[in-house]
Amino acid sequence: MTACPAPPLTHERSNGAAHVTLLPGPNGGRLDRLHQQGSAKAFLHPAESGPEIVLLNTSGGLTGGDRLSCRIGLAAGCRATGTTQTAERAYRSTSGAASVTVHHTVGTGGHLDWLPQETILFEGSHLVRDTTIDLAADASCLMLESVVLGRAAMGETVTRVTLRDTRRITRAGRPVLVEPLHLSTDALTAGPAILNGARAFATLALVAQGAEDAVTRAHAELTEPGVTGGASGFDGKLVIRLMAADGWPLRRQIMRLVRALRPGPLPRVWQF
């Protein structure tokens, strides 16, 4: 009797989607719809500067084949903060890319602070992320993306990684800020033109009427030791770039800038 070959080994992949929409209400807005599926969860905290929408990936991290989607929709006049409960982790992948899709909409006169905590890329990780914020003609937003290559405190060194990270902000359907980033293994040692030895980097962008007027204020806050950065502003945009040798000084610098650019305290989960 001939033995049948064993079926190929397959690994279960995580899939999650969390969608939250707000309608006008006291203190920035009230919950209209909450959809949670798979590994993605969302919950709301009341806050003086508007509701805090906290997103969570219960799978504990991302690896090849995982899919994660999150959406926040703010109706006209709503103001809210979107963030993540903790850092997102992209682990070593042996089966293609992990995919993250973020798509937020902000209605007339609304404002969204999209302030996720850092993404940590581990050795051999492969992450494709697409972030879009669609603004109505007079809406505004503050958007943060920060990336850390391994955990320096754990002695981790990242030598092989793939990140395709596209960020875009539109206003009334027209692009305002579009930033495609492709970080590959070669970029880790490419010298001054790329990371110049940095293992943590971030972009903070404010899109609002008069945002360019905050350039001087942003420059005054770029004081964290071990962090290099710059700020530029034009045509209703302020863009800040940061690089550091480790994630902790980068985080301290980001916190200082966020406090200077938005009313009220930092998101509650950032303070733990």
Side-chain angles (χ1 to χ4, degrees), residues 65-94:
D66 291 347
R67 299 289 182 267
L68 188 65
S69 169
C70 66
R71 296 183 183 179
I72 296 173
L74 303 184
C78 292
R79 182 183 185 95
T81 297
T83 187
T84 53
Q85 188 179 45
T86 186
E88 186 61 86
R89 293 165 172 81
Y91 294 113
R92 183 174 67 92
S93 173
T94 59

Side-chain angles (χ1 to χ4, degrees), residues 29-260:
R30 60 179 177 86
L31 180 65
D32 173 50
R33 181 173 180 266
L34 170 61
H35 170 79
Q36 302 179 126
Q37 176 183 328
S39 63
K41 307 297 179 186
F43 52 93
L44 274 69
H45 286 308
E48 293 181 7
S49 57
E52 293 181 2
I53 302 167
V54 182
L55 300 165
L56 170 65
N57 177 17
T58 60
S59 70
L62 298 164
T63 187
D66 291 347
R67 299 289 182 267
L68 188 65
S69 169
C70 66
R71 296 183 183 179
I72 296 173
L74 303 184
C78 292
R79 182 183 185 95
T81 297
T83 187
T84 53
Q85 188 179 45
T86 186
E88 186 61 86
R89 293 165 172 81
Y91 294 113
R92 183 174 67 92
S93 173
T94 59
S95 55
S99 174
V100 177
T101 302
V102 179
H103 191 179
H104 305 321
T105 58
V106 186
T108 300
H111 178 86
L112 174 67
D113 291 321
W114 175 234
L115 302 173
Q117 300 195 62
E118 62 268 25
T119 298
I120 303 175
L121 303 180
F122 288 82
E123 175 72 5
S125 59
H126 187 174
L127 176 63
V128 176
R129 180 169 56 194
D130 190 284
T131 300
T132 299
I133 301 179
D134 290 325
L135 303 175
D138 63 347
S140 58
C141 72
L142 176 65
M143 180 179 72
L144 168 68
E145 291 290 357
S146 57
V147 176
V148 178
L149 300 172
R151 299 169 299 181
M154 303 296 290
E156 296 169 352
T157 301
V158 175
T159 62
R160 183 169 57 88
V161 69
T162 301
L163 171 66
R164 291 186 179 273
D165 195 10
T166 302
R167 300 179 293 270
R168 64 177 67 82
I169 300 173
T170 69
R171 183 188 296 284
R174 301 182 64 180
V176 175
L177 182 68
V178 179
E179 296 195 328
L181 169 66
H182 180 197
L183 180 68
S184 63
T185 297
D186 291 342
L188 301 181
T189 55
I194 310 295
L195 291 176
N196 196 29
R199 286 297 179 263
F201 55 93
T203 297
L204 190 62
L206 176 64
V207 176
Q209 184 176 1
E212 63 272 26
D213 297 336
V215 170
T216 300
R217 194 188 332 156
H219 281 152
E221 298 294 338
L222 294 174
T223 58
E224 181 65 34
V227 180
T228 59
S232 61
F234 61 98
D235 193 25
K237 290 176 287 187
L238 167 68
V239 180
I240 304 169
R241 315 282 189 190
L242 304 169
M243 294 197 310
D246 184 24
W248 181 235
L250 180 71
R251 184 180 177 90
R252 289 197 300 262
Q253 179 62 84
I254 290 170
M255 293 168 71
R256 184 176 293 117
L257 287 164
V258 170
R259 288 191 187 99

